[in-house]
Amino acid sequence: MATLIKGRRIVPPSAPSPDEGEVLRLEPTDDPASVAGRLDRVARVEVNFPKFGDGRGYSIARLLRERHGYKGELRAVGEVVRDHLLYMESCGFDAFLLRDGEDAEDALGGFQDFSEAYSASVARPQPLFRRRGA
């Protein structure tokens, strides 16, 4: 069974209540602009990573957060593994449904793999040289 990490903690997966809104699932070929008008009515957005090497979901996450202003839960689903968690988080994901067989405790360590990031991201809008110069 897949494990959910949310807020850098292991949590039990749960379905949203009908009052919270629908769950919107985006595939790598979907254009986030096509659902931008619905984002304020969804309980969460799930972005599917169908293969280990398919990185289009990272771009979808950044577009949802930066261009479309999505503030709700953004969950990575599919082939979600430890080595990608820190990068997914930097693109705007805040929840991760690990693939079956992935060790959840070990995966949490993925958030600590690097102490600093050079480039700007959703999580840190200023690049390292600007953060250090401040």
Side-chain angles (χ1 to χ4, degrees), residues 41-56:
R41 298 186 304 274
V42 300
R44 73 173 174 258
V45 176
E46 296 180 349
V47 178
N48 187 32
F49 288 81
K51 296 188 298 185
F52 178 81
D54 191 337
R56 293 174 287 179

Side-chain angles (χ1 to χ4, degrees), residues 1-93:
M1 183 170 142
T3 304
L4 179 63
I5 294 178
K6 190 173 177 180
R8 292 189 174 197
R9 292 185 346 262
I10 299 169
V11 297
S14 62
S17 73
D19 297 336
E20 292 178 291
E22 67 178 310
V23 173
L24 182 62
R25 185 177 179 120
L26 296 176
E27 296 297 327
T29 55
D30 292 336
D31 180 3
S34 69
V35 298
R38 297 171 42 200
L39 293 175
D40 59 342
R41 298 186 304 274
V42 300
R44 73 173 174 258
V45 176
E46 296 180 349
V47 178
N48 187 32
F49 288 81
K51 296 188 298 185
F52 178 81
D54 191 337
R56 293 174 287 179
Y58 293 93
S59 299
I60 290 172
R62 286 202 72 161
L63 288 169
L64 287 169
R65 295 289 193 204
E66 295 174 341
R67 185 174 294 170
H68 303 295
Y70 181 63
K71 302 286 186 211
E73 180 182 326
L74 186 54
R75 183 179 294 184
V77 299
E79 289 296 307
V80 178
V81 298
R82 177 198 196 278
D83 292 347
H84 292 173
L85 295 182
L86 183 64
Y87 302 108
M88 288 177 167
E89 184 182 58
S90 74
C91 289
F93 288 101

Side-chain angles (χ1 to χ4, degrees), residues 89-109:
E89 184 182 58
S90 74
C91 289
F93 288 101
D94 54 8
F96 314 88
L97 189 62
L98 299 175
R99 71 178 179 189
D100 287 339
E102 211 48 39
D103 183 324
E105 291 294 333
D106 181 55
L108 286 174

